[in-house]
Amino acid sequence: MGFPKDFMWGGATAANQCEGGILEGGRGAANVDVCPAGEDRNAVITGHLKMLEMDDVHSYPAAEAIDLYHHFKEDIRLFGEMGFRVYRLSIAWTRIFPKGDEEEPNEEGLGFYEEIFKECQKYQIQPLVTISHFDCPIWLIQKYGGWRSRGLIDFYLHLCEVLFTRFREYVTYWLTFNEINMILHAPFMGAGIYFEEGDNEEQIKYQAAHHELIASALATRMAHEINPENKIGCMFAAGSAYPYTCKPEDVWEALLTDQENYFFVDVQARGYYPSYAVKRLRKKGIFPLIEDGDAEILKKYPVDFISFSYYNSRCIAAPGGGQDEAEGNLFKSAKNPYLKFSEWGWPIDPLGLRITLNHVYDRYQKPLFIVENGLGAADVPDENGYVEDDYRVEYLDAHIRAMMAAVEEDGVELIGYTSWAPVDLISAGTGEMKKRYGFIYVDKQDDGSGTLARTKKKSFYWYQRVIATNGEYLKEDKNNEEF
């Protein structure tokens, strides 16, 4: 019983939310760099406000972020102190290929990530690398239209070839695309797509997704050819959809929501477009153009494991129900009256994680990996600079217990858990620093002020004990526990 001895505990970050240094090391400009803070951010990330360069009007959180570019040794040392067995990070595409379509990679960028991997090795931390965590070079957006163009497949595969070859001795766990289903909700941030007047937006999004699905399958083939030890995973934003009531119309809408959420993973894990998607996309006239040989590629090269983010479940009502709305990782849904909510209005549903784990495992029967789960909160340090984040401990304790039950009682095959995020970083959805997730506090504020100093929160020591005991600590009587 319990987690396997080799269970991979750790934390997850994304280059565009923590790295900074966007003008250093030969790096080029990317879509994630020009997503501003403030009221225009949502219009940009959804592709409805064209922004392909920085101006003097907006602030751009990714420019410095938390400056992991210069602090990675300190941060990885702290991850090692917590006992991490795995660190999920992403590659900034434009740090390797500044424009995206060069023949030769940027050696300085490759050297930067090699230093990160060497630092991980020092603390016996295994990297889990996301190849594309929403990064798309601005040049490829200007010249080709981002992932709406099939031409990006070759550029992406060139990036993969360089990464798989150069980092063969450091990395064997890879994710092809982060939260691939986000392309439907944030197409500029997810795939470098902005829309012009008259565009068929839904058709463009599904066509771009098809290109990413082909790229993912071909990357899986390449990874296995270059190193048979490589394990390739897909990644999606998960969270089971509950019907708002037992009214059949609500149940039906919840089923449709789940199918939309699982659609891309159905393709990546099973190797073909599910019949429900084919029927509905054809009926709407938005079925993507599929070239000869595409079906065979998808069929022959499914992923090895399924990874996902889980922040909340969703509550779905039939149209016209008039229910209050709730937020949640760029997804809106009806407000579940049985749940508590975070400061940002996200439902808090630990049991929902167990339900989601069962749904995903029942559907695919492949190993699972939870690669994002955490609580965003406005942490306030005390006079000594210490954050008593008991609310975060409570949130994570409940979710890991639910995860443990799915493994011990339900038989779900789970290989790891990386919390989002081990260190405070900027929010993808809002661009804020105020919305903090980390076990490590970073002294930086929304206005850009701060020293960038790192400080351990109370949750740091709690997670350290969870890892050290492989989760068994959660079964002990912890009343009045001091860390």
Side-chain angles (χ1 to χ4, degrees):
M1 301 296 286
F3 294 113
K5 290 182 179 180
D6 60 351
F7 189 77
M8 290 192 282
W9 296 95
T13 64
N16 64 84
Q17 292 172 258
C18 68
E19 209 171 272
I22 66 170
L23 301 178
E24 300 186 57
R27 184 183 179 282
N31 57 333
V32 288
D33 301 332
V34 298
C35 293
E39 61 183 14
D40 286 336
R41 186 175 182 87
N42 188 65
V44 172
I45 67 177
T46 57
H48 294 106
L49 176 61
K50 181 180 178 181
M51 187 171 286
L52 298 181
E53 59 185 19
M54 295 181 177
D55 57 32
D56 297 328
V57 177
H58 297 87
S59 64
Y60 298 89
E64 182 184 52
I66 62 164
D67 196 26
L68 182 135
Y69 187 73
H70 295 107
H71 290 78
F72 72 88
K73 289 188 177 181
E74 176 185 5
D75 291 337
I76 293 172
R77 175 181 59 78
L78 290 167
F79 301 163
E81 187 178 337
M82 265 189 286
F84 279 20
R85 301 173 187 175
V86 62
Y87 170 36
R88 179 191 171 213
L89 68 153
S90 73
I91 300 292
W93 188 338
T94 54
R95 205 173 284 290
I96 309 303
F97 291 101
K99 295 173 70 175
D101 61 357
E102 296 94 338
E103 285 295 322
E104 297 299 322
N106 172 30
E107 179 58 36
E108 195 169 351
L110 289 170
F112 168 70
Y113 290 111
E114 186 166 357
E115 287 302 309
I116 286 182
F117 298 145
K118 286 179 178 178
E119 206 66 19
C120 287
Q121 273 192 342
K122 184 188 299 185
Y123 299 99
Q124 297 181 309
I125 298 172
Q126 183 165 201
L128 166 62
V129 175
T130 310
I131 299 167
S132 176
H133 194 124
F134 298 150
D135 294 73
C136 187
I138 288 291
W139 173 253
L140 298 186
I141 298 171
Q142 292 172 323
K143 189 173 181 180
Y144 299 94
W147 278 98
R148 70 165 74 197
S149 168
R150 192 178 176 100
L152 262 72
I153 295 174
D154 288 338
F155 301 132
Y156 174 84
L157 290 175
H158 189 34
L159 171 67
C160 290
E161 182 180 18
V162 169
L163 298 180
F164 295 153
T165 303
R166 176 65 175 261
F167 301 129
R168 174 173 177 158
E169 66 178 286
Y170 301 107
V171 185
T172 55
Y173 279 87
W174 304 86
L175 304 179
T176 52
F177 292 93
N178 179 69
E179 292 185 332
I180 192 168
N181 51 330
M182 279 296 181
I183 198 171
L184 301 180
H185 305 275
F188 181 75
M189 186 171 71
I193 294 170
Y194 65 87
F195 300 110
E196 303 282 8
E197 186 175 353
D199 277 345
N200 184 333
E201 295 186 10
E202 292 301 300
Q203 196 280 329
I204 290 169
K205 287 189 284 189
Y206 280 101
Q207 186 65 59
H210 178 70
H211 296 152
E212 290 193 352
L213 292 169
I214 294 296
S216 177
L218 291 173
T220 301
R221 179 182 71 179
M222 180 188 293
H224 292 156
E225 289 173 349
I226 291 175
N227 182 3
E229 297 298 313
N230 277 333
K231 301 293 183 185
I232 307 299
C234 60
M235 197 283 198
F236 76 113
S240 293
Y242 305 154
Y244 186 72
T245 70
C246 56
K247 181 181 177 182
E249 287 81 0
D250 288 352
V251 176
W252 177 247
E253 288 298 322
L255 183 148
L256 294 178
T257 298
D258 270 340
Q259 286 184 332
E260 179 185 275
N261 223 24
Y262 289 129
F263 164 43
F264 301 127
V265 187
D266 281 352
V267 180
Q268 291 176 291
R270 293 172 169 170
Y272 57 88
Y273 273 65
S275 57
Y276 67 83
V278 174
K279 288 285 187 181
R280 289 172 197 155
L281 295 180
R282 288 199 186 282
K283 184 177 181 180
K284 292 179 180 179
I286 58 173
F287 193 78
L289 174 64
I290 296 180
E291 296 191 0
D292 291 344
D294 283 0
E296 183 181 6
I297 289 169
L298 295 175
K299 189 69 176 176
K300 289 181 68 175
Y301 308 113
V303 292
D304 301 310
F305 66 95
I306 313 293
S307 77
F308 62 86
S309 60
Y310 177 86
Y311 295 98
N312 52 266
S313 57
R314 300 167 68 185
C315 192
I316 306 299
Q323 292 80 11
D324 292 336
E325 283 191 342
E327 300 291 335
N329 200 18
L330 296 183
F331 299 110
K332 292 186 181 294
S333 64
K335 194 166 186 176
N336 190 326
Y338 298 100
L339 299 178
K340 295 179 180 179
F341 293 81
S342 74
E343 294 175 67
W344 272 263
W346 292 25
I348 298 175
D349 185 9
L351 182 56
L353 176 55
R354 183 178 181 180
I355 293 168
T356 298
L357 280 163
N358 274 272
H359 282 173
V360 178
Y361 191 62
D362 287 351
R363 193 177 186 97
Y364 301 115
Q365 293 293 296
K366 284 179 179 278
L368 306 185
F369 203 140
I370 300 171
V371 294
E372 290 185 30
N373 171 240
L375 176 69
D379 297 336
V380 179
D382 64 18
E383 63 276 8
N384 299 313
Y386 186 62
V387 175
E388 293 262 2
D389 55 343
D390 294 297
Y391 41 86
R392 180 166 293 109
V393 170
E394 179 183 354
Y395 174 97
L396 292 171
D397 183 290
H399 283 75
I400 294 175
R401 286 174 184 272
M403 177 176 81
M404 186 181 298
V407 172
E408 290 188 342
E409 300 176 32
D410 308 332
V412 170
E413 184 181 359
L414 186 65
I415 58 179
Y417 172 88
T418 57
S419 71
W420 185 272
V423 59
D424 291 344
L425 36 67
I426 62 172
S427 166
T430 66
E432 296 173 296
M433 273 301 304
K434 183 173 69 173
K435 187 180 183 184
R436 298 176 182 272
Y437 285 86
F439 303 118
I440 301 163
Y441 183 86
V442 178
D443 180 24
K444 183 174 181 180
Q445 313 309 318
D446 284 341
D447 63 3
S449 63
T451 66
L452 296 173
R454 273 64 165 159
T455 308
K456 303 169 193 174
K457 304 177 190 177
K458 185 175 183 178
S459 57
F460 179 102
Y461 302 99
W462 172 85
Y463 196 47
Q464 185 182 56
R465 291 194 182 185
V466 171
I467 296 173
T469 63
N470 203 27
E472 291 300 308
Y473 170 64
L474 300 181
K475 298 178 180 179
E476 300 172 5
D477 181 3
K478 304 188 298 298
N479 290 335
N480 300 315
E481 183 77 60
E482 292 295 332
F483 300 106

